[in-house]
Amino acid sequence: MLTNDFPFLQPHRLEPGLSGRLHALADDLDRLRDGAGPSEDELAAAPLLSDWRCALTPLGIRLIGTVWGHPRLRAGEIMTSQIWAADPNGRWVRTMSRYYRLGARSPLDAEPAHGSRAADFDGGL
């Protein structure tokens, strides 16, 4: 069974408030697709993630780094929820939960190789 391998898929493990977060994410993704990025006020209120690096997990691409100004977490190292959109200029990401402002990338996290085939594929989420 799929739920034996991935127990987080079991319905009783769905987080309270998940549907509200999904609606907010969908609204933001519609705005982003239509060319309207997060406002300056939204970015000013967003937590700052510095010294970040990428992590590919079963839930998707996430970032690990040092956060400041998170509404629920103390300052320190965190792993974000999965990323759904990223600013081409590297200023922010939109995760399942919220926007994050991006500070400096960790020197331990190498940029993808220029030979990567990821750019060969159209489409997205």
Side-chain angles (χ1 to χ4, degrees):
M1 282 197 167
L2 193 58
T3 54
N4 289 338
D5 293 331
F6 305 101
F8 61 85
L9 294 174
Q10 297 176 28
H12 74 276
R13 297 193 71 180
L14 291 172
E15 296 175 37
L18 178 60
S19 61
R21 288 179 30 220
L22 289 169
H23 285 289
L25 172 63
D27 290 344
D28 283 347
L29 293 177
D30 283 344
R31 286 181 28 220
L32 292 169
R33 185 194 60 237
D34 293 341
S39 70
E40 291 303 318
D41 288 341
E42 286 175 304
L43 287 180
L48 174 64
L49 191 66
S50 293
D51 198 30
W52 56 268
R53 58 199 182 277
C54 296
L56 182 58
T57 75
L59 296 177
I61 299 170
R62 300 165 78 176
L63 298 180
I64 299 170
T66 304
V67 72
W68 287 275
H70 194 284
R72 294 180 35 222
L73 304 173
R74 293 187 325 225
E77 189 167 80
I78 66 160
M79 179 183 280
T80 68
S81 55
Q82 61 268 41
I83 297 173
W84 288 87
D87 177 26
N89 297 315
R91 292 183 36 200
W92 54 264
V93 295
R94 178 55 162 98
T95 67
M96 169 66 89
S97 306
R98 63 187 39 81
Y99 285 103
Y100 283 87
R101 291 177 292 135
L102 295 178
R105 188 174 188 161
S106 171
L108 302 175
D109 193 41
E111 290 280 346
H114 290 291
S116 168
R117 300 247 351 227
D120 295 342
F121 297 94
D122 287 331
L125 302 175

PDB file of all heavy atoms in Angstrom, residues 29-57:
ATOM      1  N   LEU A  29      -0.280  31.766  -6.669  1.00  0.00           N
ATOM      2  CA  LEU A  29       0.234  31.205  -7.919  1.00  0.00           C
ATOM      3  C   LEU A  29      -0.468  31.810  -9.130  1.00  0.00           C
ATOM      4  O   LEU A  29       0.171  32.078 -10.151  1.00  0.00           O
ATOM      5  CB  LEU A  29       0.115  29.681  -7.924  1.00  0.00           C
ATOM      6  CG  LEU A  29       1.007  28.944  -6.920  1.00  0.00           C
ATOM      7  CD1 LEU A  29       0.738  27.450  -6.977  1.00  0.00           C
ATOM      8  CD2 LEU A  29       2.475  29.247  -7.143  1.00  0.00           C
ATOM      9  N   ASP A  30      -1.766  32.054  -9.027  1.00  0.00           N
ATOM     10  CA  ASP A  30      -2.493  32.727 -10.114  1.00  0.00           C
ATOM     11  C   ASP A  30      -1.924  34.122 -10.341  1.00  0.00           C
ATOM     12  O   ASP A  30      -1.695  34.530 -11.490  1.00  0.00           O
ATOM     13  CB  ASP A  30      -3.987  32.824  -9.799  1.00  0.00           C
ATOM     14  CG  ASP A  30      -4.730  31.514 -10.000  1.00  0.00           C
ATOM     15  OD1 ASP A  30      -4.191  30.606 -10.666  1.00  0.00           O
ATOM     16  OD2 ASP A  30      -5.857  31.410  -9.480  1.00  0.00           O
ATOM     17  N   ARG A  31      -1.692  34.869  -9.266  1.00  0.00           N
ATOM     18  CA  ARG A  31      -1.123  36.217  -9.379  1.00  0.00           C
ATOM     19  C   ARG A  31       0.268  36.167 -10.007  1.00  0.00           C
ATOM     20  O   ARG A  31       0.590  36.972 -10.881  1.00  0.00           O
ATOM     21  CB  ARG A  31      -1.028  36.881  -8.000  1.00  0.00           C
ATOM     22  CG  ARG A  31      -2.358  37.339  -7.449  1.00  0.00           C
ATOM     23  CD  ARG A  31      -2.245  38.031  -6.084  1.00  0.00           C
ATOM     24  NE  ARG A  31      -0.985  38.693  -5.840  1.00  0.00           N
ATOM     25  CZ  ARG A  31      -0.343  38.669  -4.661  1.00  0.00           C
ATOM     26  NH1 ARG A  31      -0.822  37.992  -3.637  1.00  0.00           N
ATOM     27  NH2 ARG A  31       0.799  39.320  -4.511  1.00  0.00           N
ATOM     28  N   LEU A  32       1.090  35.222  -9.549  1.00  0.00           N
ATOM     29  CA  LEU A  32       2.448  35.115 -10.075  1.00  0.00           C
ATOM     30  C   LEU A  32       2.444  34.760 -11.558  1.00  0.00           C
ATOM     31  O   LEU A  32       3.193  35.339 -12.351  1.00  0.00           O
ATOM     32  CB  LEU A  32       3.249  34.079  -9.284  1.00  0.00           C
ATOM     33  CG  LEU A  32       3.566  34.459  -7.836  1.00  0.00           C
ATOM     34  CD1 LEU A  32       4.124  33.260  -7.085  1.00  0.00           C
ATOM     35  CD2 LEU A  32       4.518  35.636  -7.784  1.00  0.00           C
ATOM     36  N   ARG A  33       1.588  33.819 -11.943  1.00  0.00           N
ATOM     37  CA  ARG A  33       1.485  33.422 -13.352  1.00  0.00           C
ATOM     38  C   ARG A  33       1.075  34.596 -14.224  1.00  0.00           C
ATOM     39  O   ARG A  33       1.527  34.743 -15.358  1.00  0.00           O
ATOM     40  CB  ARG A  33       0.485  32.281 -13.505  1.00  0.00           C
ATOM     41  CG  ARG A  33       0.416  31.740 -14.944  1.00  0.00           C
ATOM     42  CD  ARG A  33      -0.784  30.867 -15.205  1.00  0.00           C
ATOM     43  NE  ARG A  33      -2.000  31.628 -14.959  1.00  0.00           N
ATOM     44  CZ  ARG A  33      -2.953  31.259 -14.095  1.00  0.00           C
ATOM     45  NH1 ARG A  33      -2.869  30.140 -13.418  1.00  0.00           N
ATOM     46  NH2 ARG A  33      -4.020  32.012 -13.921  1.00  0.00           N
ATOM     47  N   ASP A  34       0.227  35.470 -13.669  1.00  0.00           N
ATOM     48  CA  ASP A  34      -0.260  36.621 -14.410  1.00  0.00           C
ATOM     49  C   ASP A  34       0.715  37.804 -14.368  1.00  0.00           C
ATOM     50  O   ASP A  34       0.393  38.882 -14.855  1.00  0.00           O
ATOM     51  CB  ASP A  34      -1.633  37.052 -13.884  1.00  0.00           C
ATOM     52  CG  ASP A  34      -2.704  36.008 -14.175  1.00  0.00           C
ATOM     53  OD1 ASP A  34      -2.499  35.157 -15.068  1.00  0.00           O
ATOM     54  OD2 ASP A  34      -3.751  36.038 -13.482  1.00  0.00           O
ATOM     55  N   GLY A  35       1.893  37.587 -13.776  1.00  0.00           N
ATOM     56  CA  GLY A  35       2.929  38.611 -13.782  1.00  0.00           C
ATOM     57  C   GLY A  35       2.949  39.540 -12.588  1.00  0.00           C
ATOM     58  O   GLY A  35       3.727  40.492 -12.564  1.00  0.00           O
ATOM     59  N   ALA A  36       2.095  39.308 -11.611  1.00  0.00           N
ATOM     60  CA  ALA A  36       2.059  40.161 -10.422  1.00  0.00           C
ATOM     61  C   ALA A  36       2.780  39.442  -9.283  1.00  0.00           C
ATOM     62  O   ALA A  36       2.233  38.559  -8.642  1.00  0.00           O
ATOM     63  CB  ALA A  36       0.622  40.465 -10.019  1.00  0.00           C
ATOM     64  N   GLY A  37       4.025  39.812  -9.062  1.00  0.00           N
ATOM     65  CA  GLY A  37       4.794  39.210  -7.974  1.00  0.00           C
ATOM     66  C   GLY A  37       4.294  39.693  -6.629  1.00  0.00           C
ATOM     67  O   GLY A  37       3.356  40.493  -6.541  1.00  0.00           O
ATOM     68  N   PRO A  38       4.930  39.221  -5.572  1.00  0.00           N
ATOM     69  CA  PRO A  38       4.523  39.683  -4.240  1.00  0.00           C
ATOM     70  C   PRO A  38       4.771  41.188  -4.113  1.00  0.00           C
ATOM     71  O   PRO A  38       5.723  41.729  -4.690  1.00  0.00           O
ATOM     72  CB  PRO A  38       5.419  38.886  -3.297  1.00  0.00           C
ATOM     73  CG  PRO A  38       6.582  38.452  -4.120  1.00  0.00           C
ATOM     74  CD  PRO A  38       6.061  38.301  -5.512  1.00  0.00           C
ATOM     75  N   SER A  39       3.906  41.847  -3.366  1.00  0.00           N
ATOM     76  CA  SER A  39       4.055  43.289  -3.165  1.00  0.00           C
ATOM     77  C   SER A  39       5.242  43.563  -2.242  1.00  0.00           C
ATOM     78  O   SER A  39       5.732  42.670  -1.551  1.00  0.00           O
ATOM     79  CB  SER A  39       2.776  43.865  -2.549  1.00  0.00           C
ATOM     80  OG  SER A  39       2.645  43.424  -1.205  1.00  0.00           O
ATOM     81  N   GLU A  40       5.687  44.804  -2.232  1.00  0.00           N
ATOM     82  CA  GLU A  40       6.774  45.188  -1.323  1.00  0.00           C
ATOM     83  C   GLU A  40       6.358  44.970   0.126  1.00  0.00           C
ATOM     84  O   GLU A  40       7.182  44.578   0.951  1.00  0.00           O
ATOM     85  CB  GLU A  40       7.198  46.636  -1.576  1.00  0.00           C
ATOM     86  CG  GLU A  40       7.893  46.834  -2.911  1.00  0.00           C
ATOM     87  CD  GLU A  40       9.135  45.950  -3.090  1.00  0.00           C
ATOM     88  OE1 GLU A  40       9.926  45.801  -2.141  1.00  0.00           O
ATOM     89  OE2 GLU A  40       9.307  45.402  -4.196  1.00  0.00           O
ATOM     90  N   ASP A  41       5.085  45.210   0.452  1.00  0.00           N
ATOM     91  CA  ASP A  41       4.599  44.968   1.817  1.00  0.00           C
ATOM     92  C   ASP A  41       4.645  43.486   2.163  1.00  0.00           C
ATOM     93  O   ASP A  41       5.023  43.112   3.272  1.00  0.00           O
ATOM     94  CB  ASP A  41       3.177  45.500   1.993  1.00  0.00           C
ATOM     95  CG  ASP A  41       3.116  47.018   2.030  1.00  0.00           C
ATOM     96  OD1 ASP A  41       4.167  47.662   2.277  1.00  0.00           O
ATOM     97  OD2 ASP A  41       2.026  47.563   1.810  1.00  0.00           O
ATOM     98  N   GLU A  42       4.248  42.619   1.200  1.00  0.00           N
ATOM     99  CA  GLU A  42       4.312  41.179   1.440  1.00  0.00           C
ATOM    100  C   GLU A  42       5.751  40.727   1.681  1.00  0.00           C
ATOM    101  O   GLU A  42       6.027  39.933   2.579  1.00  0.00           O
ATOM    102  CB  GLU A  42       3.723  40.401   0.265  1.00  0.00           C
ATOM    103  CG  GLU A  42       2.213  40.457   0.179  1.00  0.00           C
ATOM    104  CD  GLU A  42       1.691  39.781  -1.067  1.00  0.00           C
ATOM    105  OE1 GLU A  42       2.107  40.151  -2.185  1.00  0.00           O
ATOM    106  OE2 GLU A  42       0.842  38.879  -0.914  1.00  0.00           O
ATOM    107  N   LEU A  43       6.669  41.253   0.883  1.00  0.00           N
ATOM    108  CA  LEU A  43       8.075  40.878   1.050  1.00  0.00           C
ATOM    109  C   LEU A  43       8.643  41.415   2.355  1.00  0.00           C
ATOM    110  O   LEU A  43       9.416  40.730   3.031  1.00  0.00           O
ATOM    111  CB  LEU A  43       8.910  41.355  -0.129  1.00  0.00           C
ATOM    112  CG  LEU A  43       8.707  40.585  -1.426  1.00  0.00           C
ATOM    113  CD1 LEU A  43       9.595  41.163  -2.527  1.00  0.00           C
ATOM    114  CD2 LEU A  43       8.993  39.105  -1.241  1.00  0.00           C
ATOM    115  N   ALA A  44       8.261  42.626   2.731  1.00  0.00           N
ATOM    116  CA  ALA A  44       8.754  43.198   3.991  1.00  0.00           C
ATOM    117  C   ALA A  44       8.302  42.371   5.185  1.00  0.00           C
ATOM    118  O   ALA A  44       9.020  42.256   6.183  1.00  0.00           O
ATOM    119  CB  ALA A  44       8.290  44.645   4.129  1.00  0.00           C
ATOM    120  N   ALA A  45       7.117  41.774   5.082  1.00  0.00           N
ATOM    121  CA  ALA A  45       6.587  40.958   6.180  1.00  0.00           C
ATOM    122  C   ALA A  45       7.088  39.507   6.139  1.00  0.00           C
ATOM    123  O   ALA A  45       6.909  38.765   7.097  1.00  0.00           O
ATOM    124  CB  ALA A  45       5.060  40.974   6.137  1.00  0.00           C
ATOM    125  N   ALA A  46       7.714  39.121   5.037  1.00  0.00           N
ATOM    126  CA  ALA A  46       8.145  37.724   4.868  1.00  0.00           C
ATOM    127  C   ALA A  46       9.406  37.450   5.681  1.00  0.00           C
ATOM    128  O   ALA A  46      10.269  38.307   5.828  1.00  0.00           O
ATOM    129  CB  ALA A  46       8.418  37.441   3.387  1.00  0.00           C
ATOM    130  N   PRO A  47       9.523  36.224   6.207  1.00  0.00           N
ATOM    131  CA  PRO A  47      10.760  35.862   6.902  1.00  0.00           C
ATOM    132  C   PRO A  47      11.946  35.906   5.944  1.00  0.00           C
ATOM    133  O   PRO A  47      11.799  35.701   4.741  1.00  0.00           O
ATOM    134  CB  PRO A  47      10.515  34.421   7.360  1.00  0.00           C
ATOM    135  CG  PRO A  47       9.084  34.139   7.143  1.00  0.00           C
ATOM    136  CD  PRO A  47       8.560  35.137   6.169  1.00  0.00           C
ATOM    137  N   LEU A  48      13.112  36.176   6.505  1.00  0.00           N
ATOM    138  CA  LEU A  48      14.358  36.195   5.740  1.00  0.00           C
ATOM    139  C   LEU A  48      15.074  34.869   5.937  1.00  0.00           C
ATOM    140  O   LEU A  48      15.249  34.408   7.069  1.00  0.00           O
ATOM    141  CB  LEU A  48      15.254  37.333   6.225  1.00  0.00           C
ATOM    142  CG  LEU A  48      16.649  37.395   5.609  1.00  0.00           C
ATOM    143  CD1 LEU A  48      16.576  37.673   4.107  1.00  0.00           C
ATOM    144  CD2 LEU A  48      17.496  38.442   6.318  1.00  0.00           C
ATOM    145  N   LEU A  49      15.478  34.243   4.825  1.00  0.00           N
ATOM    146  CA  LEU A  49      16.224  32.980   4.865  1.00  0.00           C
ATOM    147  C   LEU A  49      17.614  33.235   4.290  1.00  0.00           C
ATOM    148  O   LEU A  49      17.749  33.628   3.136  1.00  0.00           O
ATOM    149  CB  LEU A  49      15.497  31.906   4.054  1.00  0.00           C
ATOM    150  CG  LEU A  49      16.008  30.489   4.230  1.00  0.00           C
ATOM    151  CD1 LEU A  49      15.764  29.985   5.646  1.00  0.00           C
ATOM    152  CD2 LEU A  49      15.349  29.562   3.230  1.00  0.00           C
ATOM    153  N   SER A  50      18.628  33.042   5.119  1.00  0.00           N
ATOM    154  CA  SER A  50      20.003  33.269   4.705  1.00  0.00           C
ATOM    155  C   SER A  50      20.809  31.989   4.809  1.00  0.00           C
ATOM    156  O   SER A  50      20.399  31.046   5.484  1.00  0.00           O
ATOM    157  CB  SER A  50      20.657  34.336   5.589  1.00  0.00           C
ATOM    158  OG  SER A  50      20.061  35.583   5.372  1.00  0.00           O
ATOM    159  N   ASP A  51      21.947  32.000   4.159  1.00  0.00           N
ATOM    160  CA  ASP A  51      22.862  30.853   4.155  1.00  0.00           C
ATOM    161  C   ASP A  51      22.094  29.586   3.782  1.00  0.00           C
ATOM    162  O   ASP A  51      22.242  28.539   4.387  1.00  0.00           O
ATOM    163  CB  ASP A  51      23.547  30.717   5.523  1.00  0.00           C
ATOM    164  CG  ASP A  51      24.793  29.857   5.446  1.00  0.00           C
ATOM    165  OD1 ASP A  51      25.446  29.829   4.384  1.00  0.00           O
ATOM    166  OD2 ASP A  51      25.108  29.196   6.453  1.00  0.00           O
ATOM    167  N   TRP A  52      21.255  29.729   2.756  1.00  0.00           N
ATOM    168  CA  TRP A  52      20.338  28.645   2.398  1.00  0.00           C
ATOM    169  C   TRP A  52      20.964  27.731   1.352  1.00  0.00           C
ATOM    170  O   TRP A  52      21.860  28.089   0.618  1.00  0.00           O
ATOM    171  CB  TRP A  52      19.007  29.212   1.898  1.00  0.00           C
ATOM    172  CG  TRP A  52      19.126  30.167   0.750  1.00  0.00           C
ATOM    173  CD1 TRP A  52      19.254  31.524   0.820  1.00  0.00           C
ATOM    174  CD2 TRP A  52      19.125  29.839  -0.643  1.00  0.00           C
ATOM    175  NE1 TRP A  52      19.335  32.053  -0.451  1.00  0.00           N
ATOM    176  CE2 TRP A  52      19.262  31.042  -1.355  1.00  0.00           C
ATOM    177  CE3 TRP A  52      19.023  28.649  -1.343  1.00  0.00           C
ATOM    178  CZ2 TRP A  52      19.290  31.096  -2.750  1.00  0.00           C
ATOM    179  CZ3 TRP A  52      19.061  28.696  -2.734  1.00  0.00           C
ATOM    180  CH2 TRP A  52      19.186  29.911  -3.408  1.00  0.00           C
ATOM    181  N   ARG A  53      20.438  26.514   1.354  1.00  0.00           N
ATOM    182  CA  ARG A  53      20.838  25.505   0.376  1.00  0.00           C
ATOM    183  C   ARG A  53      19.612  24.696  -0.001  1.00  0.00           C
ATOM    184  O   ARG A  53      18.648  24.632   0.756  1.00  0.00           O
ATOM    185  CB  ARG A  53      21.959  24.627   0.905  1.00  0.00           C
ATOM    186  CG  ARG A  53      21.633  23.909   2.184  1.00  0.00           C
ATOM    187  CD  ARG A  53      22.909  23.441   2.889  1.00  0.00           C
ATOM    188  NE  ARG A  53      22.612  22.701   4.101  1.00  0.00           N
ATOM    189  CZ  ARG A  53      22.345  23.253   5.278  1.00  0.00           C
ATOM    190  NH1 ARG A  53      22.298  24.572   5.414  1.00  0.00           N
ATOM    191  NH2 ARG A  53      22.109  22.494   6.321  1.00  0.00           N
ATOM    192  N   CYS A  54      19.653  24.074  -1.168  1.00  0.00           N
ATOM    193  CA  CYS A  54      18.520  23.297  -1.685  1.00  0.00           C
ATOM    194  C   CYS A  54      18.520  21.893  -1.103  1.00  0.00           C
ATOM    195  O   CYS A  54      19.578  21.321  -0.833  1.00  0.00           O
ATOM    196  CB  CYS A  54      18.595  23.196  -3.205  1.00  0.00           C
ATOM    197  SG  CYS A  54      18.451  24.785  -4.021  1.00  0.00           S
ATOM    198  N   ALA A  55      17.305  21.362  -0.948  1.00  0.00           N
ATOM    199  CA  ALA A  55      17.137  19.977  -0.518  1.00  0.00           C
ATOM    200  C   ALA A  55      16.019  19.369  -1.361  1.00  0.00           C
ATOM    201  O   ALA A  55      14.920  19.917  -1.430  1.00  0.00           O
ATOM    202  CB  ALA A  55      16.772  19.910   0.962  1.00  0.00           C
ATOM    203  N   LEU A  56      16.316  18.252  -2.016  1.00  0.00           N
ATOM    204  CA  LEU A  56      15.303  17.522  -2.766  1.00  0.00           C
ATOM    205  C   LEU A  56      14.768  16.441  -1.850  1.00  0.00           C
ATOM    206  O   LEU A  56      15.512  15.563  -1.401  1.00  0.00           O
ATOM    207  CB  LEU A  56      15.903  16.907  -4.033  1.00  0.00           C
ATOM    208  CG  LEU A  56      14.939  16.154  -4.933  1.00  0.00           C
ATOM    209  CD1 LEU A  56      13.797  17.055  -5.396  1.00  0.00           C
ATOM    210  CD2 LEU A  56      15.678  15.589  -6.128  1.00  0.00           C
ATOM    211  N   THR A  57      13.476  16.514  -1.514  1.00  0.00           N
ATOM    212  CA  THR A  57      12.847  15.599  -0.573  1.00  0.00           C
ATOM    213  C   THR A  57      11.670  14.909  -1.256  1.00  0.00           C
ATOM    214  O   THR A  57      11.252  15.324  -2.333  1.00  0.00           O
ATOM    215  CB  THR A  57      12.336  16.359   0.670  1.00  0.00           C
ATOM    216  OG1 THR A  57      11.145  17.083   0.318  1.00  0.00           O
ATOM    217  CG2 THR A  57      13.389  17.310   1.234  1.00  0.00           C
TER     218      THR A  57
END
